[in-house]
Amino acid sequence: MTTELPLTTLTRVRRGAHHQRTDRAALYDIVDTAMYATVAIVRDDRPVALPVGIGRDGDDLLIHGSTGSDFFRRIAGGTPVSLTITHLLGMKYARSLFDSSMRYLCAVVHGVASVVPPEQKEAALLLLSEHLMPGRSADVRAMTAREIAATLVLRVPLAEASVKDNAGSLVEVDDDGEDRTVWAGMLPLRVVAGEPVTSPQTATGTPVPESVRRAAARVAASGTA
Amino acid sequence: MTTELPLTTLTRVRRGAHHQRTDRAALYDIVDTAMYATVAIVRDDRPVALPVGIGRDGDDLLIHGSTGSDFFRRIAGGTPVSLTITHLLGMKYARSLFDSSMRYLCAVVHGVASVVPPEQKEAALLLLSEHLMPGRSADVRAMTAREIAATLVLRVPLAEASVKDNAGSLVEVDDDGEDRTVWAGMLPLRVVAGEPVTSPQTATGTPVPESVRRAAARVAASGTA
């Protein structure tokens, strides 16, 4: 893949075009610090979008769901899909409501998914697991053939995607014509992980695994999920 | 509006149906603690979804955008829309990867928007502002006629919507057949507001307004944004 994302009729940002990023690294940063994407399809001529856990395998986005899911089966069947990831980083308070806005990173990936073939499914599921719960696969038993068979794993190439980065600037231009004694600024928002909660049926004295601590540290580092 | 959300072909949850909530109060809680929805439309036979700031006016969801936005103009023109709000509340660590999942609340609203007429626009924009930046409208100058004219305000009835609540339970059933010396539990995730950042051109000594503190407190109370 090239380091630049192509500008196409699907990916060219139409509003706030100066916030568009076309470097692939920006896209991968957003993907790698997200737990889910909001996945949209067209169903019976209407849009429908659901949150779906994600992973990344090189230049592909991975998603998975039940083989019994109508939504996933449609995607597996080749209906076009878009996957939107938003990291809301704060609220920008300008000196007018009109110029106020959100501080965010957003990636929208467009594509058609391909079904991961049976012999590659376990490796792809482990990649998804590593993305969502790093290190966890070593804590638990292996997947069974039945579990693998019950899961659809889909691959969407990170080939056609737009990235909007509205995070960098503070709210004002040099001369916005407004009264500077009105406070302007930004209220930062971030995601944090709390203390892990042990389920009541876990054997007494079982410690919280290192993997869970590591997942919490990763959220703390990115401030996103 | 009735207190129960109707079950239709669009709103009946197909997977994990026992997590579906049909009480309107659950929907309004999700909306009222969210800054944005991921708004999906069909454009040239393909899905596309973008994050959009929201507000609520009684039984309607409000969104707004530029009159120059192709995306908003299509919605204003009557193309069907879905609005997805997800509150990711944590990661559920089961004793197998297969049974692990996310802890979340999700609302999907389906509908066709109507355009808020000129004489109701200012009031609707103030409602949006109150939702996103409570109390801020009293800190800043009034909107101008030109700003109001440049903004499309759209109303989507909260009539056809599905709510999925995967937040309540911890990860295990009474007998999951797994080794109980393997830790299971939940890593909670929440959104927090940081310290407000004052823009460099704000007049020296201007305090952070009470409204910004209030917005931060609201995020702290809900843990979502």
Side-chain angles (χ1 to χ4, degrees), chain A residues 36-51:
Chain A
Y36 71 95
T38 301
V39 177
I41 63 169
V42 182
R43 188 175 68 191
D44 305 332
D45 299 324
R46 298 188 68 134
V48 58
L50 298 175

Side-chain angles (χ1 to χ4, degrees), chain B residues 67-103:
Chain B
T67 53
S69 158
D70 172 75
F71 187 76
F72 276 93
R73 283 203 298 232
R74 285 172 188 260
I75 301 171
T79 194
V81 71
S82 76
L83 304 98
T84 302
I85 300 168
T86 305
H87 293 317
L88 179 60
L89 304 176
M91 305 301 285
K92 292 189 180 191
Y93 284 74
R95 293 189 181 85
S96 65
L97 298 181
F98 187 75
D99 283 326
S100 296
S101 61
M102 298 195 195
R103 181 172 178 257

Side-chain angles (χ1 to χ4, degrees), chain A residues 2-203:
Chain A
T2 58
T3 58
E4 286 291 300
L5 297 165
L7 289 176
T8 70
T9 53
L10 282 174
T11 65
R12 191 182 300 274
V13 168
R14 298 165 191 221
R15 297 298 303 173
H18 57 294
H19 292 304
Q20 179 156 23
R21 295 276 296 270
T22 57
D23 51 316
R24 187 169 287 278
L27 172 63
Y28 291 8
D29 278 350
I30 292 172
V31 169
D32 291 348
T33 55
M35 299 291 193
Y36 71 95
T38 301
V39 177
I41 63 169
V42 182
R43 188 175 68 191
D44 305 332
D45 299 324
R46 298 188 68 134
V48 58
L50 298 175
V52 172
I54 59 168
R56 183 166 70 84
D57 180 13
D59 295 323
D60 292 336
L61 202 57
L62 295 174
I63 58 175
H64 70 305
S66 166
T67 53
S69 157
D70 171 75
F71 186 76
F72 276 94
R73 284 205 297 234
R74 287 172 187 260
I75 300 171
T79 193
V81 71
S82 75
L83 303 99
T84 302
I85 301 169
T86 304
H87 292 318
L88 179 60
L89 304 176
M91 305 302 284
K92 292 191 180 189
Y93 284 74
R95 293 189 180 87
S96 64
L97 299 181
F98 187 76
D99 284 325
S100 296
S101 60
M102 297 195 194
R103 182 171 175 255
Y104 66 93
L105 293 167
C106 179
V108 185
V109 179
H110 300 271
V112 171
S114 61
V115 178
V116 172
E119 69 277 12
Q120 297 173 14
K121 268 167 93 169
E122 185 166 8
L125 285 167
L126 285 171
L127 271 174
L128 273 157
S129 169
E130 202 54 33
H131 185 99
L132 296 168
M133 298 179 163
R136 180 61 172 170
S137 61
D139 299 341
V140 297
R141 63 167 175 76
M143 290 175 262
T144 67
R146 191 188 190 126
E147 289 170 345
I148 295 170
T151 307
L152 260 176
V153 191
L154 304 174
R155 191 183 281 283
V156 181
L158 290 164
E160 198 164 11
S162 65
V163 173
K164 203 163 169 184
D165 178 347
N166 193 29
S169 64
L170 263 179
V171 291
E172 60 197 346
V173 288
D174 268 354
D175 184 7
D176 61 4
E178 306 286 349
D179 176 357
R180 297 297 167 97
T181 67
V182 174
W183 185 88
M186 195 260 297
L187 180 67
L189 297 172
R190 56 188 288 119
V191 180
V192 297
E195 266 305 296
V197 179
T198 300
S199 76
Q201 303 202 24
T202 298

Side-chain angles (χ1 to χ4, degrees), chain B:
Chain B
M1 292 261 182
T2 59
T3 59
E4 287 291 302
L5 297 165
L7 288 177
T8 69
T9 53
L10 283 174
T11 65
R12 191 181 302 276
V13 169
R14 297 164 192 221
R15 299 296 303 173
H18 57 293
H19 292 304
Q20 180 157 22
R21 296 275 298 271
T22 57
D23 51 317
R24 187 169 287 278
L27 172 63
Y28 290 8
D29 278 350
I30 292 172
V31 169
D32 291 348
T33 55
M35 298 290 193
Y36 71 95
T38 301
V39 176
I41 63 169
V42 182
R43 189 176 67 191
D44 305 332
D45 299 324
R46 298 189 68 134
V48 59
L50 298 176
V52 172
I54 57 168
R56 184 167 68 85
D57 180 14
D59 295 322
D60 292 336
L61 203 57
L62 294 175
I63 57 175
H64 71 305
S66 166
T67 53
S69 158
D70 172 75
F71 187 76
F72 276 93
R73 283 203 298 232
R74 285 172 188 260
I75 301 171
T79 194
V81 71
S82 76
L83 304 98
T84 302
I85 300 168
T86 305
H87 293 317
L88 179 60
L89 304 176
M91 305 301 285
K92 292 189 180 191
Y93 284 74
R95 293 189 181 85
S96 65
L97 298 181
F98 187 75
D99 283 326
S100 296
S101 61
M102 298 195 195
R103 181 172 178 257
Y104 66 91
L105 293 166
C106 179
V108 185
V109 179
H110 299 272
V112 171
S114 61
V115 179
V116 172
E119 69 277 12
Q120 297 173 16
K121 268 166 92 170
E122 184 166 8
L125 285 168
L126 285 172
L127 271 173
L128 274 157
S129 168
E130 201 55 33
H131 185 98
L132 296 167
M133 299 179 162
R136 180 62 172 170
S137 61
D139 299 341
V140 296
R141 63 165 176 77
M143 290 175 263
T144 66
R146 190 186 191 130
E147 288 170 345
I148 295 169
T151 309
L152 260 176
V153 191
L154 304 173
R155 190 184 283 282
V156 180
L158 290 164
E160 197 163 14
S162 66
V163 173
K164 202 162 170 185
D165 179 345
N166 194 28
S169 64
L170 261 180
V171 291
E172 59 198 347
V173 290
D174 269 353
D175 184 6
D176 60 6
E178 307 286 349
D179 176 358
R180 297 299 167 97
T181 67
V182 173
W183 185 88
M186 194 262 295
L187 180 66
L189 297 172
R190 55 188 288 119
V191 179
V192 295
E195 266 305 296
V197 179
T198 299
S199 77
Q201 303 203 23
T202 298
T204 310
T206 306
V208 175
E210 179 54 31
S211 62
V212 178
R213 303 280 177 205
R214 218 188 311 156
R218 201 182 53 169
V219 172
S222 68
T224 59

